[in-house]
Amino acid sequence: MNLSNNLKKILIIDFGSQFTQLIARRVRELGVFSEIINHKIALKFKFDKADCIGIILSGGPLNVYQSNKVKINKKIFKLDIPILGICFGHQIIAKEMGGKIKNSKYREFGLTAVKRKKKSLLVKNFFNRSNSSNVWMSHADHVSRLPKNFKLIGSSKNSKFTIIENINKKFYGVQFHPEVTHTDKGKVLLKNFLFSICKTKKNWSSKKQRVKITQDLKNQVGNNKVICALSGGVDSSVVAQLLNKSIGKNLTCIFVNTGLLRKNEEKQVINTFKKKLKINLIYVNAANQFIRKLKNVDNPEEKRKIIGNLFIKIFEKYAKKIKNVKYLAQGTLYPDLIESKSATGSQTSKIKSHHNVGGLPKKMNLKLIEPLKFLFKDEVRKLGLELKLSKEIILRHPFPGPGLAIRIPGIINQEKINILKEADNYFIEELKKNGLYDKIWQAYAALLPIKTVGVMGDNRTYEYICLLRAITSEDGMTADFFNFDKKILQNISNKIINNVSGINRVVYDITSKPPSTIELE
Ligand code: XMP
Protein backbone atom coordinates (compact mmCIF):
# COMPACT_ATOMS: atom_id res chain seq x y z
CA MET A 1 0.00 0.00 0.00
CA ASN A 2 1.40 3.38 -0.90
CA LEU A 3 -0.55 6.39 0.24
CA SER A 4 1.63 8.70 -1.81
CA ASN A 5 0.74 7.01 -5.13
CA ASN A 6 -0.83 9.42 -7.59
CA LEU A 7 -0.58 12.33 -5.18
CA LYS A 8 1.10 15.50 -6.30
CA LYS A 9 3.55 16.54 -3.65
CA ILE A 10 6.06 19.01 -2.31
CA LEU A 11 9.39 17.24 -1.92
CA ILE A 12 11.55 18.30 0.98
CA ILE A 13 15.24 17.51 0.62
CA ASP A 14 16.64 16.98 4.09
CA PHE A 15 20.12 18.20 4.97
CA GLY A 16 19.85 17.16 8.61
CA SER A 17 17.99 20.06 10.20
CA GLN A 18 16.20 19.33 13.44
CA PHE A 19 13.23 21.14 11.89
CA THR A 20 12.83 19.14 8.65
CA GLN A 21 9.82 17.20 9.91
CA LEU A 22 8.22 20.47 10.95
CA ILE A 23 8.50 21.74 7.37
CA ALA A 24 6.65 18.65 6.13
CA ARG A 25 3.99 19.05 8.81
CA ARG A 26 3.40 22.72 8.07
CA VAL A 27 2.98 21.99 4.35
CA ARG A 28 0.48 19.25 5.14
CA GLU A 29 -1.35 21.48 7.62
CA LEU A 30 -1.85 23.83 4.69
CA GLY A 31 -3.56 20.96 2.83
CA VAL A 32 -0.79 19.83 0.49
CA PHE A 33 0.93 16.43 0.59
CA SER A 34 4.67 16.53 1.30
CA GLU A 35 7.40 13.94 1.54
CA ILE A 36 10.92 14.09 2.93
CA ILE A 37 13.92 12.61 1.17
CA ASN A 38 17.45 12.56 2.48
CA HIS A 39 19.89 14.65 0.41
CA LYS A 40 21.99 11.56 -0.36
CA ILE A 41 18.95 9.74 -1.75
CA ALA A 42 18.01 12.90 -3.65
CA LEU A 43 21.29 12.50 -5.58
CA LYS A 44 19.86 9.60 -7.54
CA PHE A 45 16.20 10.51 -7.24
CA LYS A 46 14.23 10.93 -10.44
CA PHE A 47 12.25 14.14 -9.94
CA ASP A 48 9.12 13.97 -12.02
CA LYS A 49 7.50 17.29 -12.83
CA ALA A 50 4.09 15.67 -13.12
CA ASP A 51 4.36 14.47 -9.56
CA CYS A 52 6.54 17.02 -7.77
CA ILE A 53 5.07 20.52 -7.73
CA GLY A 54 7.69 22.18 -5.62
CA ILE A 55 10.94 21.49 -3.79
CA ILE A 56 12.02 22.75 -0.38
CA LEU A 57 15.66 22.51 0.69
CA SER A 58 15.87 22.16 4.47
CA GLY A 59 18.29 23.68 6.91
CA GLY A 60 21.20 21.66 8.22
CA PRO A 61 24.31 21.73 10.38
CA LEU A 62 26.80 21.75 7.48
CA ASN A 63 28.75 24.41 5.64
CA VAL A 64 28.05 24.71 1.91
CA TYR A 65 31.75 24.45 1.09
CA GLN A 66 32.14 21.03 2.77
CA SER A 67 31.96 19.36 -0.63
CA ASN A 68 32.65 15.87 0.74
CA LYS A 69 29.57 16.05 2.97
CA VAL A 70 27.18 18.32 1.11
CA LYS A 71 25.76 16.41 -1.81
CA ILE A 72 23.29 18.22 -3.94
CA ASN A 73 21.55 16.91 -7.03
CA LYS A 74 22.21 19.86 -9.32
CA LYS A 75 19.61 18.66 -11.78
CA ILE A 76 16.87 20.08 -9.56
CA PHE A 77 17.86 23.56 -10.71
CA LYS A 78 17.08 22.66 -14.31
CA LEU A 79 13.66 21.09 -13.83
CA ASP A 80 11.57 24.23 -14.02
CA ILE A 81 10.09 23.40 -10.59
CA PRO A 82 9.84 26.17 -7.95
CA ILE A 83 12.41 25.82 -5.15
CA LEU A 84 12.41 27.33 -1.66
CA GLY A 85 15.62 27.11 0.34
CA ILE A 86 15.44 27.45 4.11
CA CYS A 87 18.52 28.48 6.16
CA PHE A 88 21.21 26.09 4.88
CA GLY A 89 18.96 25.43 1.83
CA HIS A 90 18.93 29.19 1.20
CA GLN A 91 22.74 29.19 1.22
CA ILE A 92 22.84 26.23 -1.17
CA ILE A 93 20.68 28.07 -3.70
CA ALA A 94 22.85 31.18 -3.35
CA LYS A 95 26.08 29.21 -3.82
CA GLU A 96 24.85 27.06 -6.70
CA MET A 97 23.58 30.12 -8.54
CA GLY A 98 26.93 31.89 -8.28
CA GLY A 99 26.68 33.82 -5.00
CA LYS A 100 29.00 33.64 -1.97
CA ILE A 101 28.59 32.38 1.58
CA LYS A 102 30.68 33.61 4.49
CA ASN A 103 31.02 32.76 8.15
CA SER A 104 29.40 35.59 10.11
CA LYS A 105 31.17 37.55 12.79
CA TYR A 106 27.90 37.51 14.70
CA ARG A 107 25.75 34.42 14.88
CA GLU A 108 22.05 35.04 14.72
CA PHE A 109 20.09 32.81 17.03
CA GLY A 110 16.52 33.38 18.15
CA LEU A 111 14.07 36.11 17.28
CA THR A 112 15.26 38.68 14.76
CA ALA A 113 13.46 41.43 12.85
CA VAL A 114 13.56 41.26 9.04
CA LYS A 115 12.89 44.47 7.11
CA ARG A 116 11.21 44.56 3.73
CA LYS A 117 13.37 45.75 0.85
CA LYS A 118 11.12 44.88 -2.10
CA LYS A 119 7.75 43.35 -2.86
CA SER A 120 7.50 39.67 -3.75
CA LEU A 121 4.80 37.01 -4.07
CA LEU A 122 6.63 35.09 -1.35
CA VAL A 123 6.13 37.80 1.26
CA LYS A 124 2.56 38.90 0.56
CA ASN A 125 1.02 39.68 3.99
CA PHE A 126 4.28 38.67 5.65
CA PHE A 127 5.44 42.11 6.86
CA ASN A 128 3.60 44.38 9.28
CA ARG A 129 2.68 48.00 8.59
CA SER A 130 6.19 49.10 9.52
CA ASN A 131 7.58 46.71 6.89
CA SER A 132 9.07 44.44 9.52
CA SER A 133 8.49 40.82 10.59
CA ASN A 134 9.82 38.79 13.51
CA VAL A 135 11.51 35.57 12.44
CA TRP A 136 13.40 32.72 14.10
CA MET A 137 17.05 32.52 13.09
CA SER A 138 19.62 29.86 13.80
CA HIS A 139 22.73 30.35 11.68
CA ALA A 140 26.41 31.19 11.71
CA ASP A 141 27.09 31.40 7.94
CA HIS A 142 25.30 33.91 5.74
CA VAL A 143 24.96 34.83 2.08
CA SER A 144 27.55 37.57 1.46
CA ARG A 145 27.11 38.05 -2.29
CA LEU A 146 23.83 37.84 -4.15
CA PRO A 147 23.86 35.57 -7.22
CA LYS A 148 23.23 37.11 -10.65
CA ASN A 149 19.55 37.63 -11.52
CA PHE A 150 18.49 37.42 -7.88
CA LYS A 151 16.76 40.24 -6.04
CA LEU A 152 16.97 41.19 -2.40
CA ILE A 153 13.54 41.05 -0.71
CA GLY A 154 14.37 41.32 2.99
CA SER A 155 17.32 41.99 5.32
CA SER A 156 18.07 41.53 9.01
CA LYS A 157 20.72 43.31 11.08
CA ASN A 158 23.37 40.63 10.68
CA SER A 159 22.36 39.06 7.40
CA LYS A 160 21.77 41.43 4.51
CA PHE A 161 20.46 38.81 2.08
CA THR A 162 17.86 37.26 4.36
CA ILE A 163 15.13 36.83 1.73
CA ILE A 164 16.08 36.51 -1.93
CA GLU A 165 14.33 35.55 -5.15
CA ASN A 166 14.89 34.80 -8.79
CA ILE A 167 11.44 35.37 -10.11
CA ASN A 168 12.05 33.84 -13.58
CA LYS A 169 13.40 30.59 -12.25
CA LYS A 170 11.04 30.66 -9.26
CA PHE A 171 13.91 30.12 -6.82
CA TYR A 172 13.45 31.59 -3.35
CA GLY A 173 15.67 31.58 -0.28
CA VAL A 174 15.07 32.55 3.35
CA GLN A 175 17.81 32.58 5.97
CA PHE A 176 15.31 32.06 8.82
CA HIS A 177 12.94 29.20 9.69
CA PRO A 178 9.34 29.82 8.55
CA GLU A 179 8.38 26.34 9.79
CA VAL A 180 8.85 27.09 13.51
CA THR A 181 5.99 28.74 15.36
CA HIS A 182 8.27 31.51 16.70
CA THR A 183 8.41 33.00 13.20
CA ASP A 184 5.34 35.25 13.34
CA LYS A 185 4.14 34.86 9.76
CA GLY A 186 6.02 31.70 8.80
CA LYS A 187 2.86 29.92 7.75
CA VAL A 188 1.85 32.85 5.53
CA LEU A 189 5.19 32.64 3.74
CA LEU A 190 4.86 28.88 3.20
CA LYS A 191 1.29 29.36 2.02
CA ASN A 192 2.48 31.92 -0.54
CA PHE A 193 5.12 29.50 -1.78
CA LEU A 194 2.60 26.67 -2.17
CA PHE A 195 -0.39 28.42 -3.63
CA SER A 196 0.95 31.55 -5.36
CA ILE A 197 4.33 30.29 -6.57
CA CYS A 198 3.92 26.49 -7.01
CA LYS A 199 0.22 27.00 -7.79
CA THR A 200 -0.69 23.77 -6.02
CA LYS A 201 -4.21 22.72 -5.15
CA LYS A 202 -5.20 21.25 -1.79
CA ASN A 203 -4.99 17.47 -1.89
CA TRP A 204 -4.49 16.47 1.74
CA SER A 205 -7.16 16.17 4.44
CA SER A 206 -8.30 13.56 6.98
CA LYS A 207 -11.29 12.73 4.82
CA LYS A 208 -9.12 12.14 1.74
CA GLN A 209 -6.75 9.99 3.83
CA ARG A 210 -9.64 7.92 5.20
CA VAL A 211 -11.09 7.26 1.77
CA LYS A 212 -7.75 6.43 0.19
CA ILE A 213 -6.36 4.29 3.01
CA THR A 214 -9.52 2.22 3.44
CA GLN A 215 -9.73 1.65 -0.33
CA ASP A 216 -6.04 0.70 -0.53
CA LEU A 217 -6.46 -1.68 2.42
CA LYS A 218 -9.40 -3.38 0.71
CA ASN A 219 -7.40 -3.78 -2.48
CA GLN A 220 -4.31 -5.06 -0.74
CA VAL A 221 -5.86 -7.43 1.78
CA GLY A 222 -8.75 -8.77 -0.28
CA ASN A 223 -10.39 -11.64 1.58
CA ASN A 224 -7.36 -12.47 3.68
CA LYS A 225 -7.14 -12.34 7.45
CA VAL A 226 -5.25 -9.69 9.41
CA ILE A 227 -4.16 -9.55 13.04
CA CYS A 228 -3.32 -6.44 14.98
CA ALA A 229 -1.90 -5.84 18.45
CA LEU A 230 -4.21 -3.37 20.13
CA SER A 231 -2.90 -1.35 23.05
CA GLY A 232 -5.66 1.20 23.41
CA GLY A 233 -3.22 3.94 22.39
CA VAL A 234 -3.98 6.30 19.52
CA ASP A 235 -1.95 4.60 16.77
CA SER A 236 -3.12 1.03 17.25
CA SER A 237 -6.70 2.21 17.79
CA VAL A 238 -6.71 4.08 14.47
CA VAL A 239 -5.12 1.11 12.66
CA ALA A 240 -7.78 -1.21 14.10
CA GLN A 241 -10.63 1.08 13.12
CA LEU A 242 -9.26 1.59 9.57
CA LEU A 243 -9.11 -2.18 9.13
CA ASN A 244 -12.49 -2.60 10.72
CA LYS A 245 -13.95 -0.19 8.15
CA SER A 246 -12.10 -1.91 5.28
CA ILE A 247 -12.26 -5.62 6.01
CA GLY A 248 -14.58 -6.01 9.02
CA LYS A 249 -14.64 -9.54 10.37
CA ASN A 250 -11.39 -10.57 8.68
CA LEU A 251 -9.61 -8.49 11.32
CA THR A 252 -8.75 -9.90 14.74
CA CYS A 253 -7.19 -7.70 17.41
CA ILE A 254 -5.18 -9.08 20.30
CA PHE A 255 -5.09 -7.00 23.46
CA VAL A 256 -2.59 -8.05 26.10
CA ASN A 257 -3.20 -6.60 29.55
CA THR A 258 0.24 -6.38 31.14
CA GLY A 259 -1.23 -5.23 34.45
CA LEU A 260 0.85 -2.11 33.95
CA LEU A 261 -1.90 -0.04 32.35
CA ARG A 262 -3.60 3.07 33.69
CA LYS A 263 -6.64 2.71 35.94
CA ASN A 264 -9.59 1.06 34.13
CA GLU A 265 -7.78 1.18 30.78
CA GLU A 266 -8.53 -2.46 29.94
CA LYS A 267 -12.24 -1.89 30.58
CA GLN A 268 -12.28 1.08 28.22
CA VAL A 269 -10.50 -0.85 25.46
CA ILE A 270 -12.86 -3.81 25.71
CA ASN A 271 -15.87 -1.54 25.88
CA THR A 272 -14.87 0.50 22.83
CA PHE A 273 -13.52 -2.15 20.52
CA LYS A 274 -15.44 -5.27 21.42
CA LYS A 275 -18.78 -3.88 22.59
CA LYS A 276 -19.19 -0.67 20.58
CA LEU A 277 -17.22 -1.28 17.40
CA LYS A 278 -17.88 -5.05 17.35
CA ILE A 279 -14.30 -5.86 16.40
CA ASN A 280 -13.07 -9.45 16.90
CA LEU A 281 -11.04 -8.94 20.04
CA ILE A 282 -8.98 -11.48 21.92
CA TYR A 283 -8.40 -10.19 25.45
CA VAL A 284 -5.49 -11.72 27.33
CA ASN A 285 -5.13 -10.87 30.98
CA ALA A 286 -1.44 -11.56 31.59
CA ALA A 287 -0.97 -9.24 34.58
CA ASN A 288 0.23 -12.04 36.88
CA GLN A 289 2.76 -13.30 34.37
CA PHE A 290 4.29 -9.83 34.00
CA ILE A 291 4.50 -9.16 37.71
CA ARG A 292 6.12 -12.57 38.29
CA LYS A 293 8.76 -11.95 35.62
CA LEU A 294 9.50 -8.50 36.99
CA LYS A 295 10.00 -9.66 40.57
CA ASN A 296 13.17 -8.17 42.09
CA VAL A 297 14.20 -6.53 38.81
CA ASP A 298 15.32 -2.94 39.31
CA ASN A 299 17.35 -2.17 36.21
CA PRO A 300 15.35 0.00 33.76
CA GLU A 301 16.68 -1.62 30.59
CA GLU A 302 16.16 -5.11 32.01
CA LYS A 303 12.57 -4.21 32.88
CA ARG A 304 11.97 -2.99 29.34
CA LYS A 305 13.47 -6.14 27.82
CA ILE A 306 11.48 -8.47 30.05
CA ILE A 307 8.23 -6.68 29.26
CA GLY A 308 8.95 -6.50 25.52
CA ASN A 309 9.93 -10.18 25.24
CA LEU A 310 7.02 -11.47 27.29
CA PHE A 311 4.63 -9.34 25.31
CA ILE A 312 5.91 -10.85 22.06
CA LYS A 313 5.67 -14.39 23.45
CA ILE A 314 2.07 -13.94 24.53
CA PHE A 315 1.09 -12.17 21.34
CA GLU A 316 2.57 -14.98 19.23
CA LYS A 317 0.87 -17.65 21.27
CA TYR A 318 -2.57 -16.16 20.66
CA ALA A 319 -1.87 -15.13 17.08
CA LYS A 320 -1.01 -18.73 16.21
CA LYS A 321 -4.46 -19.83 17.33
CA ILE A 322 -6.08 -17.84 14.54
CA LYS A 323 -5.95 -19.88 11.36
CA ASN A 324 -4.94 -18.68 7.91
CA VAL A 325 -3.70 -15.26 8.87
CA LYS A 326 -1.71 -13.55 6.14
CA TYR A 327 -1.05 -10.06 7.46
CA LEU A 328 0.02 -8.29 10.61
CA ALA A 329 -0.99 -4.63 10.91
CA GLN A 330 1.26 -2.17 12.68
CA GLY A 331 0.98 1.49 13.62
CA THR A 332 4.33 2.60 12.20
CA LEU A 333 4.29 6.38 11.71
CA TYR A 334 6.09 8.58 9.18
CA PRO A 335 8.73 9.85 11.65
CA ASP A 336 9.78 6.22 12.25
CA LEU A 337 10.74 6.01 8.57
CA ILE A 338 12.70 9.23 8.24
CA GLU A 339 16.32 9.42 9.20
CA SER A 340 16.79 13.15 9.53
CA LYS A 341 19.90 12.80 11.61
CA SER A 342 21.90 10.91 9.00
CA ALA A 343 22.78 14.06 7.02
CA THR A 344 25.92 14.53 9.06
CA GLY A 345 26.56 10.83 9.35
CA SER A 346 26.21 11.06 13.11
CA GLN A 347 24.26 8.51 15.08
CA THR A 348 22.13 9.64 17.96
CA SER A 349 23.16 7.63 20.97
CA LYS A 350 20.69 5.12 22.31
CA ILE A 351 19.12 6.58 25.41
CA LYS A 352 16.37 4.05 26.07
CA SER A 353 15.30 0.94 24.20
CA HIS A 354 11.74 1.69 23.27
CA HIS A 355 9.55 -1.33 23.06
CA ASN A 356 6.96 -1.33 20.36
CA VAL A 357 5.30 -4.22 18.60
CA GLY A 358 7.54 -3.33 15.64
CA GLY A 359 9.61 -6.11 14.14
CA LEU A 360 7.75 -8.61 16.25
CA PRO A 361 6.52 -11.20 13.82
CA LYS A 362 9.70 -12.17 11.95
CA LYS A 363 9.30 -15.82 12.95
CA MET A 364 5.62 -15.83 12.19
CA ASN A 365 6.00 -15.29 8.47
CA LEU A 366 3.33 -12.68 8.18
CA LYS A 367 3.28 -9.84 5.72
CA LEU A 368 3.29 -6.37 7.25
CA ILE A 369 0.73 -3.70 6.61
CA GLU A 370 1.43 -0.24 7.92
CA PRO A 371 -1.48 2.01 7.00
CA LEU A 372 -0.16 5.01 8.96
CA LYS A 373 3.34 5.03 7.63
CA PHE A 374 2.91 8.30 5.75
CA LEU A 375 1.28 10.14 8.64
CA PHE A 376 2.52 12.30 11.47
CA LYS A 377 1.05 11.83 14.94
CA ASP A 378 -1.20 14.89 14.73
CA GLU A 379 -2.52 13.61 11.39
CA VAL A 380 -3.25 10.22 12.96
CA ARG A 381 -5.25 11.99 15.66
CA LYS A 382 -7.32 13.90 13.10
CA LEU A 383 -7.84 10.73 11.10
CA GLY A 384 -9.02 8.98 14.28
CA LEU A 385 -11.65 11.67 14.83
CA GLU A 386 -12.65 11.40 11.15
CA LEU A 387 -13.11 7.65 11.78
CA LYS A 388 -15.47 8.56 14.63
CA LEU A 389 -13.28 7.21 17.39
CA SER A 390 -14.02 8.97 20.67
CA LYS A 391 -12.06 12.03 21.77
CA GLU A 392 -11.17 10.14 24.92
CA ILE A 393 -9.14 7.64 22.90
CA ILE A 394 -7.81 10.01 20.29
CA LEU A 395 -6.76 12.92 22.47
CA ARG A 396 -5.30 10.69 25.14
CA HIS A 397 -1.76 11.45 26.21
CA PRO A 398 0.96 9.09 24.94
CA PHE A 399 1.62 6.08 27.14
CA PRO A 400 4.82 4.02 26.93
CA GLY A 401 4.76 0.32 26.02
CA PRO A 402 6.30 -0.77 29.36
CA GLY A 403 3.55 1.21 31.09
CA LEU A 404 3.63 1.90 34.80
CA ALA A 405 6.74 -0.26 35.19
CA ILE A 406 8.91 2.66 34.09
CA ARG A 407 7.02 5.05 36.34
CA ILE A 408 8.00 3.11 39.45
CA PRO A 409 11.79 3.40 39.58
CA GLY A 410 13.40 0.33 41.08
CA ILE A 411 11.62 -2.84 42.11
CA ILE A 412 7.95 -3.20 41.24
CA ASN A 413 5.26 -4.98 43.21
CA GLN A 414 1.47 -5.13 43.09
CA GLU A 415 1.04 -2.79 46.04
CA LYS A 416 3.08 -0.06 44.34
CA ILE A 417 1.18 -0.52 41.07
CA ASN A 418 -2.16 -0.17 42.86
CA ILE A 419 -1.06 2.99 44.66
CA LEU A 420 0.25 4.52 41.44
CA LYS A 421 -2.89 3.73 39.43
CA GLU A 422 -4.97 5.64 41.99
CA ALA A 423 -2.64 8.64 42.24
CA ASP A 424 -2.34 8.93 38.45
CA ASN A 425 -6.08 8.77 38.06
CA TYR A 426 -6.66 11.61 40.56
CA PHE A 427 -4.01 13.71 38.81
CA ILE A 428 -5.50 13.22 35.34
CA GLU A 429 -9.05 13.78 36.58
CA GLU A 430 -8.03 17.11 38.12
CA LEU A 431 -6.36 18.17 34.86
CA LYS A 432 -9.55 17.40 32.98
CA LYS A 433 -11.74 19.20 35.51
CA ASN A 434 -9.59 22.30 35.19
CA GLY A 435 -9.58 22.22 31.37
CA LEU A 436 -5.82 21.61 31.30
CA TYR A 437 -5.62 18.07 29.91
CA ASP A 438 -5.67 19.11 26.24
CA LYS A 439 -3.17 21.91 26.83
CA ILE A 440 -0.61 19.45 28.16
CA TRP A 441 1.21 17.07 25.79
CA GLN A 442 1.76 14.37 28.39
CA ALA A 443 1.09 14.14 32.11
CA TYR A 444 1.44 11.32 34.57
CA ALA A 445 2.12 10.43 38.17
CA ALA A 446 5.10 8.28 39.19
CA LEU A 447 5.82 6.54 42.45
CA LEU A 448 9.29 7.17 43.83
CA PRO A 449 10.73 4.23 45.74
CA ILE A 450 11.52 6.35 48.77
CA LYS A 451 9.49 6.61 51.96
CA THR A 452 9.53 9.84 53.93
CA VAL A 453 8.02 10.94 57.22
CA GLY A 454 4.82 12.93 57.34
CA VAL A 455 2.11 13.84 59.81
CA MET A 456 -1.58 13.25 59.24
CA GLY A 457 -4.09 13.98 61.96
CA ASP A 458 -1.84 13.64 64.95
CA ASN A 459 -0.09 10.59 63.63
CA ARG A 460 3.28 10.10 62.13
CA THR A 461 3.22 8.58 58.63
CA TYR A 462 6.01 6.93 56.69
CA GLU A 463 4.98 6.59 53.07
CA TYR A 464 6.00 6.92 49.41
CA ILE A 465 6.63 10.09 47.41
CA CYS A 466 4.45 10.71 44.36
CA LEU A 467 6.14 12.62 41.54
CA LEU A 468 3.98 14.51 39.06
CA ARG A 469 5.20 15.19 35.54
CA ALA A 470 3.38 17.39 33.03
CA ILE A 471 5.06 18.65 29.88
CA THR A 472 4.40 20.62 26.73
CA SER A 473 6.04 19.44 23.53
CA GLU A 474 5.70 19.28 19.72
CA ASP A 475 6.77 15.69 19.24
CA GLY A 476 8.23 14.30 22.48
CA MET A 477 11.81 14.88 21.31
CA THR A 478 12.15 18.01 23.42
CA ALA A 479 9.84 19.14 26.20
CA ASP A 480 9.20 21.90 28.74
CA PHE A 481 7.53 21.41 32.09
CA PHE A 482 4.00 22.82 32.28
CA ASN A 483 3.59 25.97 34.33
CA PHE A 484 0.77 25.26 36.79
CA ASP A 485 -1.06 27.77 38.88
CA LYS A 486 0.01 27.23 42.49
CA LYS A 487 -3.61 26.68 43.56
CA ILE A 488 -4.13 23.88 41.05
CA LEU A 489 -0.98 22.06 42.13
CA GLN A 490 -2.02 22.47 45.74
CA ASN A 491 -5.41 21.03 45.00
CA ILE A 492 -3.95 18.06 43.11
CA SER A 493 -1.55 17.37 45.95
CA ASN A 494 -4.38 17.47 48.51
CA LYS A 495 -6.55 15.16 46.42
CA ILE A 496 -3.78 12.57 46.16
CA ILE A 497 -2.67 12.72 49.79
CA ASN A 498 -6.24 12.62 51.13
CA ASN A 499 -7.40 9.78 48.91
CA VAL A 500 -4.46 7.53 48.19
CA SER A 501 -3.14 5.64 51.13
CA GLY A 502 0.56 4.92 50.76
CA ILE A 503 1.53 8.45 49.65
CA ASN A 504 2.27 11.30 52.05
CA ARG A 505 4.28 13.65 49.86
CA VAL A 506 3.79 15.02 46.34
CA VAL A 507 6.54 16.67 44.28
CA TYR A 508 6.41 18.33 40.85
CA ASP A 509 9.16 17.68 38.29
CA ILE A 510 10.38 20.99 36.82
CA THR A 511 13.05 19.68 34.47
CA SER A 512 12.77 20.02 30.72
CA LYS A 513 13.95 17.53 28.08
CA PRO A 514 16.87 17.70 27.60
CA PRO A 515 18.53 17.31 30.11
CA SER A 516 15.87 14.95 31.56
CA THR A 517 13.73 12.55 29.58
CA ILE A 518 9.95 12.53 29.77
CA GLU A 519 9.71 9.15 31.51
CA LEU A 520 11.78 8.36 34.60
CA GLU A 521 13.35 5.16 33.26
P1 XMP B 1 11.40 9.75 26.83
O1 XMP B 1 11.24 9.21 28.21
O2 XMP B 1 12.36 8.97 25.99
O3 XMP B 1 9.96 9.58 26.14
O4 XMP B 1 11.70 11.23 26.82
C1 XMP B 1 9.58 10.16 24.92
C2 XMP B 1 8.19 9.69 24.59
O5 XMP B 1 8.21 8.28 24.30
C3 XMP B 1 7.36 7.58 25.20
N1 XMP B 1 8.04 6.31 25.51
C4 XMP B 1 7.72 5.13 24.96
N2 XMP B 1 6.79 4.80 24.06
N3 XMP B 1 7.46 2.56 24.16
C5 XMP B 1 6.65 3.51 23.67
O6 XMP B 1 5.79 3.19 22.86
C6 XMP B 1 8.43 2.82 25.08
O7 XMP B 1 9.15 1.95 25.52
C7 XMP B 1 8.56 4.17 25.49
N4 XMP B 1 9.40 4.80 26.36
C8 XMP B 1 9.04 6.11 26.35
C9 XMP B 1 7.20 8.49 26.39
O8 XMP B 1 6.02 8.19 27.13
C10 XMP B 1 7.19 9.85 25.73
O9 XMP B 1 5.93 10.14 25.19
Side-chain angles (χ1 to χ4, degrees), residues 304 352-356 398-402 406-407 441-442 476 513 517-521:
R304 283 172 176 274
K352 296 173 190 177
S353 57
H354 282 198
H355 128 248
N356 278 325
F399 188 65
I406 56 170
R407 292 177 178 176
W441 197 82
Q442 189 170 9
K513 173 183 177 177
T517 51
I518 296 173
E519 302 291 345
L520 298 191
E521 288 192 333

Side-chain angles (χ1 to χ4, degrees), residues 347-390:
Q347 287 264 316
T348 40
S349 58
K350 183 174 134 188
I351 300 180
K352 296 173 190 177
S353 57
H354 282 198
H355 128 248
N356 278 325
V357 193
L360 200 182
K362 277 189 194 113
K363 278 195 297 190
M364 292 168 60
N365 246 339
L366 295 173
K367 285 191 179 163
L368 264 191
I369 37 178
E370 297 170 308
L372 309 180
K373 74 174 175 189
F374 280 99
L375 303 184
F376 288 107
K377 189 87 178 181
D378 41 350
E379 294 175 319
V380 173
R381 288 213 162 95
K382 285 186 196 143
L383 179 60
L385 294 174
E386 167 73 23
L387 284 161
K388 306 267 183 298
L389 285 169
S390 70

Side-chain angles (χ1 to χ4, degrees), residues 66-79:
Q66 287 173 298
S67 54
N68 56 335
K69 286 190 185 157
V70 183
K71 305 285 182 204
I72 173 94
N73 182 345
K74 299 191 181 187
K75 286 185 196 146
I76 61 168
F77 298 111
K78 302 212 166 85
L79 294 170

Side-chain angles (χ1 to χ4, degrees), residues 23-35:
I23 305 174
R25 280 171 58 185
R26 294 291 173 257
V27 172
R28 291 182 182 197
E29 279 164 21
L30 289 164
V32 178
F33 184 60
S34 65
E35 267 191 274

